[in-house]
């Protein structure tokens, strides 16, 4: 069937190259913490001094991240039990920046789950790392980290920057509501993803996570505690969101919520032609109104290369009975392009969901006979990557170097990118051991 889709030129493709090695590193056992007497006496006089750690185990844990490529030892690690602890540390470092014989200690970095890949969650040449996960442990038992509220405009959640998105999902589901924009992997902190952007398959419709924030509490580089929003302290608000932690530490975010769906229709379709694949993606994301009924809730894409089973650690999606025919198709084409979509539903839309989804997918150019579907709970869909992580951890393959790369590629150059990178580098050099994601998004979101 011929198609003439009108797609906006204001489309960018995000390409994620997740090339994984098999080198294994380990983290040492915890030992009893102590305070280094070489720290500045003026710092040791502060109340937070008892929450600073300089023992080898604490330093080692703070010296690496998920990328496992960069190693940087801080001078100390702060284990905060309150926001005021963080404020006190930063205020001290700011006020004493010119007074210390060595200014390395004046460098501060907040580390949540440490999911950066090139040392962004560390300090360079000393400094202090703030362990945000320690603060999470203090607050999660008190159920303080995720608070769901309601006003005339609807539901929202006040969420601690140290909380993980899986905490947000569980906490909001108790009230029958959830955020609409997520990351693929939920075991990351709220402050961490909002400091980067928070991009996933929902972005084309609902925008990145930073587009779904009403208000922030921030500890600035002077140690000041500031509440900011689009209307109040707007310059700080927009600087901190996606600011890579360079303008302050996010300690609270007010996030928009909508009614939670119960289940998800989850579909993958295979292509051998890259142009067909990207054209269909662009067509599907043209239906992107937040309240639009005939729109998908999620769209991503990926490459399947000749690396063994078509299923990978991120998702064992394809039925075992179909793996042979998928592998046979892959051997004939070197690369298959997988278009992945999802549409949420609940009791009120259960009877119409299949018709709605079929209407959306009608006329696409995927290979006949290579459309696969699942029906899963909304929770399981959002937390779909976790099982793969646990599997790799059990095999000792999680704590390895991850030279991962995210790129925004203009729509006009995505075919050049396919020729130059997917075929000219990955296939030519036989780099096929990690997932490669490629999907479009709308710039106006």
């Amino acid at each position: 069937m011929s198609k003439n889709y009108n797609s906006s030129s204001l489309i960018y493709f995000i390409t994620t190259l997740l090339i994984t090695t098999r080198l294994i590193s380990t983290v040492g056992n915890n030992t009893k913490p102590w305070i280094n007497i070489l720290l500045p006496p003026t710092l040791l006089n502060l109340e937070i001094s008892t929450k600073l750690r300089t023992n080898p185990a604490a330093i080692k844990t703070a010296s690496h991240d998920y990328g496992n490529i960069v190693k940087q030892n801080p001078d100390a690690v702060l284990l905060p039990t309150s926001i005021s602890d963080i404020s006190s540390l930063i205020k001290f470092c700011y006020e004493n920046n010119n007074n210390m014989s060595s200014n390395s200690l004046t460098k501060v970095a907040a580390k949540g789950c440490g999911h950066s890949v090139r040392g962004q969650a560390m300090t360079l040449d000393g400094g202090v790392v703030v362990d945000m996960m320690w603060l999470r442990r203090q607050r999660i038992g008190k159920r303080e980290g995720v608070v769901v509220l309601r006003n005339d405009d609807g539901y929202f959640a006040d969420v601690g920057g140290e909380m993980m998105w899986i905490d947000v999902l569980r906490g909001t589901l108790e009230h029958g509501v959830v955020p609409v924009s997520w990351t693929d992997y939920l075991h990351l902190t709220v402050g961490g993803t909002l400091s980067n952007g928070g991009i996933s398959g929902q972005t084309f419709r609902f925008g990145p996570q930073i587009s779904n924030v009403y208000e922030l509490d921030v500890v600035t580089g002077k140690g000041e505690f500031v509440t900011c929003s689009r209307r109040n302290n707007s310059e700080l608000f927009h600087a901190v969101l996606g600011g890579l932690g360079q303008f302050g530490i996010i300690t609270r975010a007010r996030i928009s919520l909508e009614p939670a769906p119960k289940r998800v229709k989850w579909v993958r379709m295979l292509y051998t032609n890259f142009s067909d694949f990207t054209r269909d993606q662009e067509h599907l994301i043209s239906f992107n109104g937040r309240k639009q009924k005939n729109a998908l809730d999620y769209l991503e894409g990926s490459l399947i290369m000749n690396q063994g089973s078509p299923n990978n650690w991120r998702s064992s999606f394809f039925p075992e009975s179909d793996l042979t025919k998928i592998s046979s198709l892959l051997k004939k084409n070197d690369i298959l392009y997988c278009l992945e979509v999802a549409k949420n539903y609940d009791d009120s839309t259960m009877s119409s969901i299949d018709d709605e989804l079929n209407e959306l997918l009608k006329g696409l150019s995927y290979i006949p006979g290579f459309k696969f579907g699942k029906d899963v709970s909304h929770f399981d869909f959002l937390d779909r990557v976790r099982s793969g992580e646990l599997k790799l951890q059990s095999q000792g393959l999680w704590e390895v170097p991850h030279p991962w790369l995210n790129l925004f590629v203009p729509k006009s150059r995505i075919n050049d990118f396919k020729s130059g990178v997917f075929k000219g580098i990955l296939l030519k050099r036989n780099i096929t051991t990690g997932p490669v994601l490629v999907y479009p998004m709308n710039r106006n979101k």
Side-chain angles (χ1 to χ4, degrees):
M1 176 182 294
S2 64
K3 299 179 295 300
N4 183 21
Y5 296 144
N6 293 319
S7 55
S8 169
S9 62
L10 298 180
I11 293 177
Y12 274 64
F13 280 79
I14 182 166
T15 304
T16 306
L17 306 180
L18 315 178
I19 308 303
T20 308
T21 68
R22 298 176 65 87
L23 301 175
I24 300 175
S25 65
T26 58
V27 177
N29 294 326
N30 289 330
T31 58
K32 184 178 180 179
W34 62 82
I35 298 177
N36 192 330
I37 60 173
L38 297 180
L39 292 177
T42 49
L43 176 59
L44 297 180
N45 290 333
L46 299 179
E47 289 185 11
I48 60 169
S49 64
T50 59
K51 301 172 184 179
L52 290 169
R53 299 291 181 266
T54 60
N55 57 298
I59 297 300
K60 186 174 183 179
T61 300
S63 68
H64 68 95
D65 60 9
Y66 178 71
N68 255 313
I69 298 170
V70 176
K71 306 289 183 182
Q72 294 286 348
N73 286 340
D75 292 322
V77 179
L78 176 68
L79 306 182
T81 58
S82 67
I83 305 303
S84 63
D85 290 343
I86 301 172
S87 180
S88 296
L89 171 68
I90 297 178
K91 184 178 181 181
F92 170 85
C93 292
Y94 173 76
E95 293 178 347
N96 291 272
N97 185 42
N98 298 319
N99 299 330
M100 298 184 195
S101 57
S102 170
N103 68 352
S104 68
L105 195 63
T106 63
K107 301 172 183 177
V108 179
K111 181 179 181 181
C113 297
H115 233 256
S116 59
V117 295
R118 294 291 301 181
Q120 294 92 334
M122 298 178 237
T123 55
L124 181 64
D125 299 326
V128 182
V129 169
V130 180
D131 186 350
M132 300 299 287
M133 297 305 288
W134 186 268
L135 180 60
R136 172 181 176 268
R137 286 191 286 271
Q138 310 306 307
R139 302 185 70 186
I140 197 167
K142 302 176 183 178
R143 301 176 67 86
E144 295 177 344
V146 180
V147 179
V148 176
L149 303 166
R150 185 178 185 180
N151 59 21
D152 293 339
D153 297 324
Y155 284 95
F156 58 90
D158 281 338
V159 182
E162 75 287 346
M163 303 303 290
M164 295 193 297
W165 284 102
I166 188 67
D167 302 325
V168 178
L169 176 59
R170 288 176 175 139
T172 56
L173 272 178
E174 292 180 2
H175 301 267
V177 288
V178 290
V180 293
S181 188
W182 300 89
T183 50
D184 286 341
Y185 178 63
L186 301 187
H187 296 256
L188 306 171
T189 62
V190 170
T193 66
L194 294 183
S195 294
N196 284 271
I199 292 172
S200 185
Q202 295 91 357
T203 301
F204 80 92
R205 184 175 175 191
F206 301 104
Q209 289 180 319
I210 60 174
S211 295
N212 292 272
V213 177
Y214 295 135
E215 187 178 84
L216 296 172
D217 285 342
V218 176
V219 177
T220 70
K222 294 182 178 181
E224 298 170 341
F225 181 84
V226 180
T227 298
C228 54
S229 66
R230 291 179 178 87
R231 294 184 177 182
N232 299 313
N233 299 308
S234 61
E235 187 175 8
L236 178 64
F237 180 77
H238 292 295
V240 169
L241 290 173
L244 301 177
Q246 299 305 297
F247 301 94
I249 296 176
I250 297 172
T251 59
R252 178 186 65 91
R254 178 163 291 182
I255 301 167
S256 62
L257 303 175
E258 293 191 4
K262 288 187 176 181
R263 300 193 65 81
V264 175
K265 291 286 185 178
W266 185 9
V267 178
R268 289 185 181 177
M269 297 156 281
L270 300 185
Y271 294 71
T272 56
N273 184 289
F274 185 72
S275 294
D276 289 343
F277 166 70
T278 56
R279 185 174 61 248
D280 283 354
Q281 284 186 317
E282 293 166 24
H283 165 66
L284 290 171
I285 72 165
S286 68
F287 306 101
N288 56 56
R290 289 182 74 100
K291 301 297 184 180
Q292 190 170 353
K293 184 177 181 180
N294 63 325
L296 296 167
D297 295 295
Y298 166 96
L299 182 146
E300 287 193 6
S302 61
L303 273 59
I304 301 176
M305 294 178 283
N306 198 1
Q307 54 180 329
S309 173
N311 286 325
N312 58 50
W313 67 266
R314 293 184 83 248
S315 175
S316 298
F317 183 92
F318 299 109
E320 290 290 331
S321 58
D322 290 310
L323 294 182
T324 299
K325 76 171 186 176
I326 296 174
S327 296
S328 178
L329 183 67
L330 181 59
K331 288 180 181 178
K332 297 175 183 178
N333 294 276
D334 294 328
I335 298 179
L336 297 179
Y337 306 102
C338 178
L339 173 52
E340 180 178 27
V341 302
K343 189 165 179 59
N344 304 332
Y345 72 97
D346 53 26
D347 293 341
S348 66
T349 55
M350 182 184 302
S351 61
S352 60
I353 182 63
D354 288 330
D355 290 340
E356 292 174 10
L357 187 56
N358 289 335
E359 183 65 23
L360 281 166
L361 304 183
K362 183 173 66 175
L364 300 186
S365 298
Y366 59 88
I367 306 167
F370 286 85
K371 174 186 173 186
F372 309 91
K374 282 187 174 183
D375 190 313
V376 298
S377 72
H378 185 239
F379 183 96
D380 288 344
F381 174 75
L382 292 177
D383 199 32
R384 61 194 176 278
V385 179
R386 177 63 168 173
S387 60
E389 175 202 351
L390 295 176
K391 181 178 180 180
L392 289 181
Q393 285 183 355
S394 68
Q395 298 172 348
L397 298 176
W398 189 249
E399 300 290 337
V400 300
H402 297 96
W404 290 12
L405 179 66
N406 289 336
L407 297 172
F408 288 104
V409 181
K411 172 189 171 182
S412 61
R413 302 303 301 273
I414 193 63
N415 281 302
D416 295 334
F417 193 88
K418 179 263 296 185
S419 300
V421 177
F422 297 160
K423 293 194 173 182
I425 296 178
L426 299 185
L427 282 184
K428 190 174 182 179
R429 300 185 183 181
N430 195 32
I431 306 174
T432 61
T433 57
V436 179
L437 308 181
V438 54
Y439 54 93
M441 60 187 65
N442 297 296
R443 287 179 61 186
N444 62 358
K445 295 292 183 177

